[in-house]
């Protein structure tokens, strides 16, 4: 079945189409970065990594811990403020 592949495609397609600054505002992300596979962000004092299509979000207490995981995943993503997407 291609359901998971379709879901991954749908989520990624929707994310590509939406306004990133608006997404940050609605989701409460203060800084965000992304590539074709992952979204990373900061919400208050928590940091997150989301792989498009997954049904869970990884949550970290520090940016250092998040960056360690991003490095292990070979996904160098820099968090940018909302102004970068306006």
């Amino acid at each position: 079945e291609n359901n998971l592949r379709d879901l991954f495609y749908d989520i990624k397609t929707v994310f590509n189409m939406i306004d990133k600054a608006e997404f940050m505002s609605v989701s409460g992300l203060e800084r965000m970065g992304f590539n074709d596979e992952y979204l990373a962000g900061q919400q208050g004092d928590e940091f997150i990594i989301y792989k498009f299509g997954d049904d869970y979000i990884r949550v970290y207490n520090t940016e250092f811990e998040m960056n360690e995981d991003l490095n292990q995943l070979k996904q160098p993503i820099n968090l940018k403020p909302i102004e970068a997407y306006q």
Side-chain angles (χ1 to χ4, degrees):
E1 294 212 12
N2 286 335
N3 290 346
L4 275 179
R5 187 175 296 148
D6 292 344
L7 178 63
F8 175 85
Y9 177 78
D10 291 344
I11 291 171
K12 184 64 183 146
T13 300
V14 169
F15 184 76
N16 283 339
M17 293 178 355
I18 62 173
D19 181 275
K20 303 304 182 278
E22 191 174 325
F23 174 80
M24 288 179 73
S25 179
V26 169
S27 66
L29 292 177
E30 295 154 26
R31 295 189 300 147
M32 178 180 77
F34 61 93
N35 62 21
D36 285 342
E37 287 187 74
Y38 289 88
L39 172 111
Q42 176 184 3
Q43 187 178 44
D45 58 0
E46 290 185 330
F47 297 85
I48 61 146
I49 298 175
Y50 173 66
K51 183 174 182 181
F52 291 110
D54 279 356
D55 57 359
Y56 63 92
I57 296 174
R58 303 173 197 213
V59 181
Y60 305 86
N61 292 318
T62 68
E63 188 169 2
F64 180 80
E65 291 171 345
M66 179 194 71
N67 283 327
E68 278 190 325
D69 262 11
L70 286 171
N71 289 335
Q72 282 188 339
L73 295 165
K74 295 182 175 29
Q75 303 291 329
I77 296 175
N78 294 318
L79 300 185
K80 300 175 187 173
I82 194 166
E83 295 80 26
Y85 300 104
Q86 291 175 330

